Structures are given as structure tokens and as C-alpha cells.
Amino acid sequence: MHAPKVSFLPPDKIAVMRGKVLELLEQRGVQMEHPEVTRRLAKAGAAVDGDTSNVRFPAAFMEEVLARAPKRVELFGRDGAGRLEIPRPEGGFLLRTGTGAHGYLDPETGSYRKVTAVDAAAWARLADGLAEVDFCAFPFIDGVPVPSADLHGLMAVLGNTGKHAWIQPYTAESIEYLLNLAAAAAGGEQALRDSPRVSIVATALTPLSVKFIDLEVIRLASRFGVPVHACSLPSAAGTAPITMPATVLMAAAEILALLAAAQVMEPAVPVIATPLVFALDMRTGRGLQSSVEAMQGAAAAVQLMKQGFGLPTHTYGSGTDSPVADGQSMAERALLGLLTGLARADILGGAGQLEVATAISPVQLCIDDELAAMTRRLLRGLEVDEDTLAWDELSAVDPGGHFLATQHTLRHCREGFLPKLFTRLPRDAWETKGEGDLTARAHERCRALLSEPAPEPLPEDTRKEMAAIVAAADRRLAGTG
Amino acid sequence: MALDDIYDSILGFDAERTAELVRAELAAGTEVRAILDEALIAAMDEVGVQFSEGVLFVPEMLMAAMAMKGGLEILRPHLSASEAKPAGVVVIGTVKGDMHDIGKSLVGMMLEGSGFQVIDLGIDVPAERFLAAAEAHQADIVGLSALLTTTMPAMQATVTRLRERNAGPRIIVGGAPVNQDFAERIGADGYGEDAPGAVALARRLVADR
């Protein structure tokens, strides 16, 4: 089967950019604020400036890092089930929900509010029930102690879905608690290491630096054997040059610096290149994730990381700059998902998110599930062979005849994509049925999923152990609980 | 008229020309106050208006502010003590836990371009540093910036800490996840939607003091 692709970078430009990335890392370097990581990097052959913490990576050193980097990643759900492998067997993608949003569009009232712990649990349950969603991130929960809010978020996800969980830590102090919580949910550190129930994100601070917290993520992820999403979040014209090729180049350099850090800590830990590309609106300075430029950047960044460096990739494949789940939202996420899907990203993130990743909507998540199913099908492409060319049928048809009643049609008639939410009714039938528009139908689906019985709870001992970890974090990090 | 040329050079984002023209005006004996009010500040007011209307883009506004600031530096030694007195003193910074610099710097530059003295504390600034700087510089206003939703609570904590001083400065907040409602709930004195909005707000708050 021919896999359709988009290409923003021709092979010769990928080669040029690859060379420039290595040159930037060798000559300019990346500031990395973590004594243990920089000590190990220095020992491994990187040039560390003790005063500025700037780390320069000789090209030969980086080539070795790239050659050693795991090219395959396996993520797991609860109890070692739900194995997700990258690259995907059919060349498709994994779908991840939005992370870190603080705003919530209530599916019942449509009103906007801060995310509560109850909302976060509902979010995870919804992700659990939606077939196309592969793994779930947690939003920023209001009403819990702020210094341990990430613990409460992860608790909501681990307790309400058996799917793989993504961790975005909020402070350096909480990382170990988060990984201990994941280990408890997985049945111990060894079980977590054998079948990682969680993966964790480490993000560079563009331009060209990595703060202690993100290198601490790498240090602890290495210790726990948890895959790392090595993330760069450049904003073109702000923290990155305005021209997208330069933004992509810089993102790649930051991601490789994170990869090198992970390797010197633990070579076996898989690292997923995660460029999340933003572009500033030049009229306002606001960062956008779904502008035309940001979409081009995402596709080009995926292409460079995959084809230039052979790394597994992860970027936004959903989301909108609109604050509401309106027509703009649907159009932007459909364009972005198709584009990054066709760029052959291994993970598409941002399902259900609105307003540049600051808000989430359960109704939107249900629609994104359907969009992902369509995108997956589109990406499969077309098989061209004797059977699909239907030569016998073409040769035999009478002028003015039809193909509805042929054996060939009968054989294939159940292969087409059938949407669950999209309507295909003409007006009269649609009005008679009275099922409303896409949003209304998605809302019904959301309701139905949330009224289903909750996933089987974790064993009581496990829940107790997890609750104790969160309580300890509340106490020690927040001084409450 | 030469003051118009200065005004035009700022709106043309031409810092070199602004500096050159300001020097020439000084040499020609033009009243310092006139250069300041009718050329430099008038130009930045227009820049603010044009930016808010979507005519000027962010980099253009920034370059204009830099041109204005360059002109002001040339003028400064010639200003009398009262003329040199800033429109107000503003301490700004991005709150603890947040490493985002751009929005805050933009506001700082626009404030400077509008005649305020700005003390920029940078990023990841703990509440204590805001407090100490506000006292040391006798700030009229403290401006808090946050880009991350996760650092909005730090903004609240900073406001609370600053409010513990009775005669504390006025507090303004801004940043992508911040809005008027949030500003009111955490007890800030105002919310600036964009950089010119922050300038207008600062002017209003200083006038009210």
C-alpha cells in the first residue's frame, strides 16, 4: 500500500538543515542547568562551560548519540495491557489528549470555568471510552494544593483510565512523587520499567537553554526507565526566529540536546522528539498553535526529526486558537491533524484542546476522536492492484450500466469509512430525526460515554498506596493535607 | 518642521535618524520640553494608538519604542530635575516559576517609551523580590506577568504579599492566560490586555494616586 505523505523539506534541504543543527550544537551549544547531567555530558565528550553551563556538542559526539538512540518505543496501559508501539505498524499515529489546560468547557452547560478534580476524572474516563484516543494527559486542576496539583492530575488519569498516561510535571520537586505514583499504579518500579504505564515530558526553554526541572525530569525518567518526550516549544518571532525553517532548526537542536542528556543518564531510555511549534501573531504578540505558519512548522519539524535524524516524533495534531469549539476550531484541527498525519508524526497531541492549549472541551474531544478515525483512514492510502483496478468489471460494464450489483462491489461494500458523529442525512430526514448538529451529537456521545460504568477501579491496596503518595506530596510540597 | 521629522522617524522605526534629529534640535536650541512632548511622547502615543488599531505590528511597535528611548537618552542630561521626573516608576517582572520574557519586556519598553521609569526584574521573580524592588525604588506600580496557567497561582501569591504593605504600590497584571476577571479575583488594580493597554492603565493609576 502506498502511504501518502506531505513534504515541506526536499531531501537536499533536510541534509542542509541536519548539518546546520549539528553545527549550531557544536558552535553555539545549549545552556543546561543541572550539575549532574552536565558533569556526565562532559565526561562523555561534550564541552561544558563551568561558568555559563553552556554545553557544546561536537558533531561526532552527537552522531554517536543519534546512532545509539532507540528508534522504537513501547508504551503501555494498565497492567502491561494496551501496548502502543512506535513506529506504528501501519504507519499511522497515536492520539494524545491535551495537557495542562486550566479552562474547561462544561459539556452540559457550555459554560467556561476552571478545571476541577471532578472534571479531570471525567476527562480521563472519556479518554478511556473513546476508541481512537491512545493516551491521556492531565489538565491543571483548580482547588487542590498548587505545589502538588500535578500529582492530583496524574491521580485522576491513572484512576480513571487504563490507557497510557502522559506526565507534565509542574515543579522539579514533584517529579519523583509523580514517578512514584506511576510506579504504585503499575505495581512497582520494576513493572513500570518493564511496561511503562506513563511517559514524561522534558521541555527546553527556547532559545537554546534547558532549566534544572527539565533535566531533572530526564535524570529521574532514566532512573525509572520511563520514556521521555523531548520537547521544544519555539514561538516563531518570539523565542525563535520569525522564519519557520530557522524555528524548526532551533527546535531540532534543543531536542537533540535533550536526547544527549537522556543518553548520558541512561542509553536505553527511549526519547521521542517532540517539537510543538508556535508562531506569534505579529499584530498582538499572541502565541498561536494552529496558524498557517505554525502548521507548516509542525509538519516540517516532524519531517526533519524523522527523516533527518531517524527519531520517533510527536507534535500537535489537534487543537485550535479559537476559545470555543466552533467552526474555526473544527477547520483548524482538521487541517493540522491531516497535515501532521501526512508528515508522518508518530504521536499527535492536543486532542480536545482549545484556545492555544489553555482550555479543554469534552465535546471537542469526542469530535476529535472521529476526526482521528477519519485521518487514520485517509493516511492508509490506496492499494493499487488487479483487484482494486477492477479490470473485469470495467471491461464488462454496459454503457449506462452500474456497479452496484457486482460481486466486486459486494466484496468491498463494507470497507468504506463510516462516521459515528458526522451526518449524511439530507435536510428533511435530518430535521425529522432531530439529532442536531455535530456539536449536539458529540455532546450526546459524551453523555453516553460518561454514563457508562467507570473502568474497573485499581486494587484497593494500590489505591491506598497512591493516595498516600499524593497526601505526602500535599504535605511536603504544599504544607497541607 | 524638525519636531515633525523626529515624530516621523519614530513612526518610521529609524532609531539612528531619531538620535540624529534630536541632537540637531538640541544644537539648534529648541526647547527640550518641546522635543520631549511634541516629538518623542507624541510619537509613542500615536504608536500605541496604531498598534491597538492593528495598523502597527509588534516588531514595529518595539522598534519605535527603541527609537524613542534612544532619543530620550540623548535628551535626559538636558532635562531639569522636574522635567526628568518620570511619569511614574514601574517595577515589572514575570512571576516565580515562569520563564517567559517577551510579553513582559514588550510592556516594559512601551512604558519606557511613554515616559515611565521601568525596573525590569526579569523572569522567575519571587514575591519577595517584587516587594524589595518596589520599596527600594518607591514604585508607583508593580506589573506582574505570567504566561503559564501553572504560574497564575504565583501571581496571586505575589499580589497577596505586596498587599501586606498598606502603602504598597498599585498592581497591574497581564499575560496570555490572565484576564480581567482573574485580575479582579486576585485583587490586582488592573489588567492590561496588550502593551498599549498596560500603558493606558499605568497612566490612569498614576493619575489616580
Side-chain angles (χ1 to χ4, degrees):
Chain A
M1 183 109 58
H2 172 71
K5 278 183 189 157
V6 294
S7 169
F8 278 86
L9 308 170
D12 60 321
K13 299 297 182 197
I14 290 183
V16 168
M17 289 176 77
R18 188 184 196 282
K20 293 268 184 206
V21 169
L22 296 181
E23 200 178 322
L24 190 65
L25 285 165
E26 186 168 82
Q27 291 178 9
R28 167 63 179 75
V30 174
Q31 190 192 47
M32 302 181 96
E33 295 180 353
H34 194 296
E36 187 181 341
V37 172
T38 50
R39 195 171 62 242
R40 292 232 200 166
L41 281 167
K43 206 173 150 203
V48 179
D49 184 320
D51 295 332
T52 63
S53 305
N54 193 61
V55 183
R56 288 183 291 117
F57 303 87
F61 169 85
M62 198 48 91
E63 292 288 7
E64 273 180 44
V65 164
L66 284 163
R68 274 198 308 263
K71 307 296 184 294
R72 307 188 66 80
V73 186
E74 286 189 338
L75 310 173
F76 292 85
R78 183 174 160 184
D79 299 330
R83 190 173 69 101
L84 305 167
E85 45 180 324
I86 298 170
R88 305 296 297 145
E90 289 190 356
F93 58 85
L94 297 173
L95 183 67
R96 165 183 69 79
T97 65
T99 181
H102 67 280
Y104 192 75
L105 262 78
D106 187 303
E108 292 309 315
T109 64
S111 64
Y112 176 89
R113 64 158 184 272
K114 287 186 172 185
V115 183
T116 66
V118 173
D119 298 335
W123 180 253
R125 280 190 55 197
L126 200 56
D128 195 72
L130 290 167
E132 306 296 327
V133 175
D134 296 294
F135 66 108
C136 186
F138 51 83
F140 183 76
I141 299 176
D142 184 50
V144 297
V146 172
S148 49
D150 43 5
L151 270 296
H152 291 266
L154 182 60
M155 187 77 172
V157 169
L158 293 173
N160 288 282
T161 173
K163 291 183 178 175
H164 183 75
W166 138 298
I167 299 177
Q168 179 195 359
Y170 301 154
T171 67
E173 293 73 26
S174 65
I175 303 165
E176 194 160 1
Y177 287 100
L178 288 162
L179 291 169
N180 278 325
L181 189 66
E189 281 195 35
Q190 191 56 48
L192 179 63
R193 185 182 307 277
D194 292 342
S195 338
R197 169 84 174 82
V198 299
S199 49
I200 190 165
V201 61
T203 307
L205 179 71
T206 52
L208 299 169
S209 73
V210 188
K211 291 286 168 197
F212 178 82
I213 170 178
D214 295 286
L215 291 165
E216 187 69 356
V217 164
I218 285 174
R219 184 182 76 84
L220 288 165
S222 304
R223 205 179 90 198
F224 280 82
V226 163
V228 173
H229 303 264
C231 178
S232 168
L233 286 159
S235 293
T239 57
I242 190 169
T243 43
M244 212 32 97
T247 293
V248 168
L249 193 160
M250 194 185 72
E254 292 176 352
I255 288 166
L256 293 198
L258 290 165
L259 171 69
Q263 281 233 338
V264 297
M265 298 309 289
E266 172 53 64
V269 163
V271 172
I272 301 160
T274 309
L276 300 179
V277 180
F278 294 79
L280 297 190
D281 185 327
M282 283 297 91
R283 294 169 303 182
T284 59
R286 182 165 169 75
L288 306 172
Q289 72 138 106
S290 296
S291 67
V292 168
E293 294 76 20
M295 290 193 209
Q296 288 181 322
V302 166
Q303 214 191 331
L304 179 62
M305 297 322 295
K306 232 179 141 70
Q307 293 171 23
F309 297 107
L311 296 171
T313 54
H314 177 174
T315 192
Y316 283 140
S318 189
T320 176
D321 299 326
S322 170
V324 286
D326 59 357
Q328 177 186 335
S329 170
M330 305 308 158
E332 285 180 346
R333 58 211 316 129
L335 287 169
L336 180 61
L338 186 58
L339 201 60
T340 50
L342 283 170
R344 296 290 158 181
D346 298 299
I347 303 175
L348 298 185
Q353 75 190 24
L354 305 171
E355 203 179 354
V356 203
T358 62
I360 48 173
S361 156
V363 171
Q364 184 67 68
L365 185 60
C366 291
I367 296 172
D368 287 349
D369 185 73
E370 179 111 328
L371 282 173
M374 294 171 82
T375 308
R376 282 184 161 135
R377 189 61 81 87
L378 279 162
L379 293 183
R380 268 202 225 161
L382 296 172
E383 187 82 68
V384 179
D385 59 18
E386 281 299 309
D387 180 50
T388 62
L389 288 173
W391 191 250
D392 293 345
E393 282 70 18
L394 285 172
S395 304
V397 72
D398 293 323
H402 65 79
F403 297 91
L404 266 172
T406 70
Q407 286 298 320
H408 182 262
T409 303
L410 181 68
R411 209 160 59 240
H412 290 286
C413 74
R414 293 189 167 269
E415 291 171 4
F417 179 80
L418 294 176
K420 293 192 184 84
L421 296 177
F422 280 30
T423 190
R424 292 170 169 184
L425 297 174
R427 175 165 288 278
D428 284 357
W430 174 74
E431 278 180 353
T432 305
K433 205 169 177 196
E435 59 178 11
D437 64 3
L438 176 63
T439 304
R441 294 189 296 273
H443 178 205
E444 277 310 309
R445 173 135 174 77
C446 179
R447 265 191 180 168
L449 283 169
L450 289 177
S451 66
E452 281 175 14
E456 193 190 335
L458 292 160
E460 195 177 342
D461 288 353
T462 305
R463 275 183 287 150
K464 275 189 185 158
E465 189 186 349
M466 290 168 70
I469 292 169
V470 176
D474 285 345
R475 210 163 46 241
R476 290 186 209 136
L477 303 181
T480 59
Chain B
M1 182 187 151
L3 288 181
D4 286 347
D5 293 339
I6 297 177
Y7 180 100
D8 290 344
S9 72
I10 291 171
L11 281 154
F13 332 119
D14 189 343
E16 266 179 46
R17 182 156 168 77
T18 305
E20 198 180 294
L21 290 169
V22 168
R23 282 196 196 93
E25 281 306 303
L26 279 174
T30 308
E31 199 191 332
V32 176
R33 191 76 232 181
I35 303 174
L36 183 65
D37 289 344
E38 292 166 36
L40 300 185
I41 291 179
M44 280 315 289
D45 284 348
E46 178 61 18
V47 165
V49 169
Q50 288 197 17
F51 176 77
S52 292
E53 287 173 350
V55 176
L56 288 186
F57 286 10
V58 175
E60 295 166 336
M61 174 176 75
L62 269 177
M63 299 303 275
M66 285 165 76
M68 188 282 185
K69 198 179 164 193
L72 186 62
E73 291 310 316
I74 294 166
L75 226 48
R76 199 181 295 282
H78 303 277
L79 293 168
S80 69
S82 66
E83 283 168 340
K85 196 172 177 298
V89 178
V90 187
V91 166
I92 61 168
T94 306
V95 297
K96 185 161 174 52
D98 205 320
M99 310 295 170
H100 294 85
D101 199 38
I102 296 172
K104 177 262 308 163
S105 299
L106 210 67
V107 170
M109 291 191 67
M110 277 300 283
L111 283 167
E112 281 185 333
S114 305
F116 285 84
Q117 183 193 344
V118 175
I119 295 100
D120 188 342
L121 301 180
I123 56 173
D124 192 19
V125 181
E128 291 310 313
R129 271 191 65 210
F130 278 110
L131 189 64
E135 289 188 349
H137 297 279
Q138 297 190 311
D140 300 297
I141 292 169
V142 175
L144 309 178
S145 169
L147 188 101
L148 300 175
T149 58
T150 52
T151 52
M152 289 164 74
M155 189 175 257
Q156 175 149 30
T158 308
V159 172
T160 307
R161 187 77 185 90
L162 286 163
R163 286 281 183 246
E164 286 169 13
R165 302 288 160 129
N166 285 334
R170 314 301 293 271
I171 303 167
I172 63 176
V173 296
V178 180
N179 58 22
Q180 183 65 42
D181 176 58
F182 176 76
E184 284 170 17
R185 271 188 292 125
I186 66 171
D189 295 302
Y191 156 73
E193 186 183 278
D194 55 16
V199 171
L201 178 64
R203 281 181 174 160
R204 203 166 64 237
L205 290 173
V206 168
D208 287 349
R209 271 174 90 86

